């Protein structure tokens, strides 16, 4: 075994792909690294693996480092997010009984309109709605809260957000433990294949370009090990670039599918990669460009404004000062290290490390070091704009 060995933790999801690709296709080897990939059964277990030093780096839910910086979650560990692994990749689904109630009321499951979908869901749910998310501090939870709380309709008297590990989401639906879910692919499609779920929305219908998973390390590790951190970041960044090439899609599905990676068929994995989703056992197909994005549109850049959005919303729900939370959150998305280690690797770097979130309604050219950066539409379903410099208490 040649090179420096690094242990990386992951959850079996499509957006763990950069870790597998960096290992399988030699991007890590080019940097003199050997990656030892370690699966975890849940996001709490993965967080603890990283916190206790069982792994040096990990795929991590974007809000987890932010929550740690705010002192939330009961775990004193602090983390840095070195770069994003992907944007988007989540879906929202409902149980079959709930789907049938929504259809009976005339809802057509267009898989696009977050307002109509939310209104139909609340009407069908009545006084109780139990939604499964993979972890309390996740974009799944953030999207669900933002969506339901901004529909302009009263919420059910009993609204429960329950934690369910992604591979167990279909089983929780079948056991009537939850009525709906938000989860990363391929586990939403898995619920459809199991005949227990119907997909309601892609996460992109709520926030068109949301940060999803990050490459995380313990606070200070990257500063103490700059050469090693740089090598790891470059290997992962090149893997993301390779994943972003459409011609590689089918090979990605084959690489990811397997009992030691994602125990799901390549055909189901490809649905997320292509954006051609089968949303129900009726065979209804919906096209979602950008359902998951690994590279284009600066998908790997750790925007401090995205971290600030997460921090401000966590603060408002947990009784913290949103101004201080937004500032603290911005510091854990390490745009400074991204610029330091990836500039010479060929990354095009934006002119600023924060921006107005939700302000772009179409792909837009922005200032960058190489002058080739086009950011995608990033609007919220309710067309709000988040200005990190104008967060209010």
């Amino acid at each position: 075994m040649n090179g420096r060995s690094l242990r990386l933790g992951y959850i079996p999801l499509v957006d763990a792909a950069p870790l597998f690709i960096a290992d399988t296709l030699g991007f890590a080897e080019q940097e003199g690294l050997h990656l030892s990939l370690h699966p975890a059964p849940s996001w709490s277990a993965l967080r603890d693996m990283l916190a206790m030093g069982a792994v040096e780096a990990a795929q991590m839910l974007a809000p987890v480092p932010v929550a740690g910086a705010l002192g939330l979650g009961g775990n004193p560990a602090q983390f840095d997010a070195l770069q994003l692994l992907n944007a988007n990749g989540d879906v929202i689904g409902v149980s079959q009984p709930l789907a049938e109630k929504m259809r009976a009321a005339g809802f057509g499951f267009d898989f696009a309109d977050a307002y109509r979908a939310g209104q139909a869901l609340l009407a069908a749910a009545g006084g109780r709605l139990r939604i499964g998310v993979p972890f309390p501090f996740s974009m799944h939870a953030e999207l669900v809260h933002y969506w339901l709380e901004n529909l302009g309709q009263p919420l059910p008297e009993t609204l429960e957000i329950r934690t369910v590990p992604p591979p167990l989401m279909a089983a929780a639906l079948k056991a009537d433990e939850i009525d709906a879910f938000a989860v990363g692919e391929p586990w939403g499609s898995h619920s459809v294949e199991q005949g227990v779920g119907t997909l309601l929305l892609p996460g992109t219908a709520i926030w068109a370009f949301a940060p999803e998973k990050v490459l995380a390390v313990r606070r200070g590790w990257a500063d103490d090990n700059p050469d090693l951190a740089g090598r790891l970041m470059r290997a992962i960044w090149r893997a993301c670039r390779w994943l972003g090439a459409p011609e590689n899609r089918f090979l990605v599905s084959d690489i990811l599918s397997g009992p030691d990676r994602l125990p799901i068929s390549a055909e189901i994995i490809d649905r997320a990669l292509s954006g051609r989703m089968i949303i129900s056992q009726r065979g209804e197909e919906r096209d979602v460009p950008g359902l998951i994005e690994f590279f284009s549109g600066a998908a790997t850049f750790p925007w401090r404004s995205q971290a600030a959005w997460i921090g401000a919303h966590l603060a408002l729900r947990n009784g913290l000062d949103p101004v201080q939370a937004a500032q603290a959150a911005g510091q854990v998305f390490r745009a400074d290290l991204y610029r330091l280690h990836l500039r010479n690797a060929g990354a095009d770097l934006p002119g600023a490390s924060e921006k107005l979130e939700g302000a772009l309604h179409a792909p837009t050219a922005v200032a960058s070091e190489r002058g080739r950066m086009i950011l995608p539409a990033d609007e919220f379903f309710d067309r709000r704009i988040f200005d990190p410099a104008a967060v209010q208490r």
Side-chain angles (χ1 to χ4, degrees):
M1 184 184 300
N2 297 321
R4 171 67 185 270
S5 181
L6 284 179
R7 299 162 297 177
L8 273 60
Y10 73 95
I11 295 286
L13 290 156
V14 172
D15 51 32
L19 309 187
F20 290 119
I21 296 302
D23 179 43
T24 303
L25 298 188
F27 296 114
E29 185 179 4
Q30 291 172 13
E31 291 289 340
L33 297 176
H34 170 75
L35 302 183
S36 176
L37 303 183
H38 298 265
S42 67
W43 287 110
S44 59
L46 184 56
R47 176 200 60 191
D48 294 344
M49 286 166 60
L50 183 59
M52 294 185 295
V55 293
E56 281 79 36
Q59 168 203 27
M60 185 171 279
L61 298 155
V64 170
V66 174
L70 303 185
L72 298 174
N75 189 312
Q78 300 280 298
F79 305 108
D80 286 326
L82 303 183
Q83 62 199 87
L84 264 68
L85 297 177
N86 66 295
N88 305 333
D90 297 336
V91 293
I92 292 172
V94 297
S95 68
Q96 292 298 73
L98 198 51
E100 292 307 317
K101 288 182 67 174
M102 294 169 71
R103 290 186 192 276
F107 183 67
F109 283 86
D110 63 7
F111 208 55
D113 188 329
Y115 267 115
R116 290 189 64 247
Q119 291 164 355
L121 173 64
L122 294 180
R128 184 188 75 170
L129 182 59
R130 303 162 299 169
I131 302 180
V133 299
F135 197 61
F137 305 114
S138 63
M139 283 310 300
H140 317 84
E142 293 308 311
L143 292 175
V144 165
H145 279 291
Y146 186 83
W147 173 47
L148 295 181
E149 291 167 7
N150 290 289
L151 289 170
Q153 291 192 200
L155 296 178
E157 293 178 7
T158 302
L159 175 61
E160 297 180 48
I161 308 295
R162 299 185 174 183
T163 300
V164 180
L168 301 181
M169 207 64 79
L173 275 183
K174 185 177 181 179
D176 192 32
E177 295 171 355
I178 55 175
D179 307 301
F181 62 78
V183 74
E185 278 293 279
W187 299 110
S189 291
H190 178 65
S191 77
V192 173
E193 291 300 302
Q194 294 296 303
V196 297
T198 294
L199 300 185
L200 178 62
L201 284 175
T204 54
I206 300 171
W207 187 359
F209 208 74
E212 180 52 38
K213 305 299 190 306
V214 298
L215 177 67
V217 296
R218 294 181 298 282
R219 175 68 58 84
W221 182 89
D223 298 296
D224 295 339
N225 301 275
D227 177 67
L228 200 53
R231 286 193 274 162
L232 176 61
M233 292 176 68
R234 288 188 293 271
I236 298 297
W237 180 82
R238 291 187 177 111
C240 289
R241 182 174 62 180
W242 186 89
L243 283 160
E247 63 269 20
N248 295 329
R249 197 186 83 221
F250 292 109
L251 183 56
V252 174
S253 300
D254 289 336
I255 291 173
L256 294 185
S257 178
D260 59 338
R261 295 191 175 181
L262 275 66
I264 295 288
S265 73
E267 185 274 329
I268 294 177
I269 293 171
D270 186 64
R271 295 179 194 176
L273 297 172
S274 67
R276 291 196 293 270
M277 300 293 289
I278 297 176
I279 68 163
S280 74
Q281 282 215 314
R282 300 182 179 197
E284 298 164 297
E285 295 187 15
R286 303 289 186 267
D287 287 333
V288 187
L291 180 79
I292 186 168
E293 184 56 67
F294 292 103
F295 189 73
S296 71
T300 61
F301 189 76
W303 294 98
R304 288 179 169 166
S305 47
Q306 293 179 341
W309 185 92
I310 295 168
H313 284 80
L314 283 175
L316 290 171
R317 288 204 310 277
N318 288 278
L320 303 177
D321 184 323
V323 177
Q324 294 180 3
Q327 293 172 346
Q331 299 306 307
V332 303
F333 271 38
R334 297 298 301 273
D336 57 328
L337 295 182
Y338 188 99
R339 294 178 183 279
L340 173 67
H341 293 303
L342 294 179
R343 176 177 282 111
N344 292 335
D348 194 8
L349 303 174
S353 294
E354 62 180 30
K355 56 188 174 70
L356 298 177
E357 298 297 334
L360 302 182
H361 305 305
T364 303
V366 298
S368 68
E369 290 189 2
R370 296 174 181 266
R372 297 195 300 267
M373 183 168 287
I374 297 177
L375 298 183
D378 69 345
E379 60 191 354
F380 296 98
F381 83 100
D382 58 358
R383 297 300 181 98
R384 295 190 186 191
I385 294 175
F386 176 78
D387 181 352
V391 176
Q392 300 294 316
R393 286 183 171 82

